[in-house]
């Protein structure tokens, strides 16, 4: 069951974020080929594909031609990154001094044990 769900989710992701959705238009291609074949019984599949993909022309069925797979493309997912040009990085050389003592975390300004102990008290029972 997990394998089926993961295949389904991967398929949905790929169809929605890549050109793979164009494969869903294949029935339109087959239907359009059958229409052309009925008008010209001697037209081969290669001639049909060459007419519609190699050198497309604007003819009476141009609207149908534009709905065929891989004829028109859409930008599905666009990601843009910008870097602020005023952002500068400067390296400051620091001399290592092993005698220098480090501040421990519990004595830093971010953590004050006395304040936290006064805030977090266990519930008290009031007896009257």
């Amino acid at each position: 069951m997990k394998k089926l769900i993961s295949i389904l989710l991967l398929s949905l992701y790929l169809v929605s974020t890549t050109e793979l959705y164009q494969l869903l238009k294949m029935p339109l291609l087959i239907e359009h080929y059958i229409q052309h074949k009925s008008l010209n019984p001697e037209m081969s599949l290669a001639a049909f594909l060459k007419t519609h993909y190699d050198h497309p022309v604007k003819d009476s069925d141009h609207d149908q031609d534009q709905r065929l797979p891989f004829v028109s493309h859409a930008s599905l997912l666009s990601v843009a990154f910008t870097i602020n040009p005023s952002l500068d990085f400067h390296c400051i050389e620091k001399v290592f001094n092993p005698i220098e003592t480090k501040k421990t975390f519990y004595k830093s300004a971010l953590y004050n044990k006395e304040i936290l102990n006064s805030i977090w008290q266990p519930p008290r029972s009031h007896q009257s």
Side-chain angles (χ1 to χ4, degrees):
M1 186 66 178
K2 288 182 181 180
K3 185 177 180 180
L4 180 68
I5 290 173
S6 54
I7 290 171
L8 176 69
L9 290 175
L10 179 64
S11 300
L12 286 172
Y13 173 74
L14 289 175
V15 166
S16 64
T17 59
T18 64
E19 288 284 326
L20 206 58
Y21 77 96
Q22 297 279 352
L23 294 177
L24 299 175
K25 297 180 181 182
M26 289 307 267
L28 292 172
L29 180 74
I30 296 167
E31 182 181 320
H32 196 59
Y33 173 67
I34 292 170
Q35 287 175 355
H36 276 271
K37 189 78 169 167
S38 66
L39 295 173
N40 183 4
E42 295 181 10
M43 179 179 267
S44 66
L45 180 62
F48 170 78
L49 292 175
K50 187 173 185 176
T51 304
H52 287 85
Y53 290 99
D54 193 18
H55 298 292
V57 292
K58 209 169 195 181
D59 53 0
S60 60
D61 65 346
H62 181 70
D63 292 335
Q64 281 185 331
D65 294 346
Q66 291 302 307
R67 290 187 301 192
L68 294 177
F70 303 106
V71 171
S72 60
H73 303 283
S75 60
L76 299 170
L77 181 65
S78 299
V79 179
F81 293 98
T82 59
I83 298 175
N84 189 354
S86 65
L87 183 65
D88 293 330
F89 291 104
H90 297 284
C91 294
I92 300 172
E93 196 173 310
K94 185 174 180 179
V95 178
F96 179 69
N97 187 358
I99 300 172
E100 186 177 310
T101 58
K102 292 184 179 180
K103 287 187 176 182
T104 54
F105 180 71
Y106 64 89
K107 291 185 180 179
S108 72
L110 300 174
Y111 178 78
N112 190 337
K113 188 175 181 180
E114 290 77 28
I115 293 173
L116 288 179
N117 284 340
S118 67
I119 295 173
W120 304 108
Q121 293 290 322
R124 296 181 185 150
S125 63
H126 295 288
Q127 294 178 357
S128 343

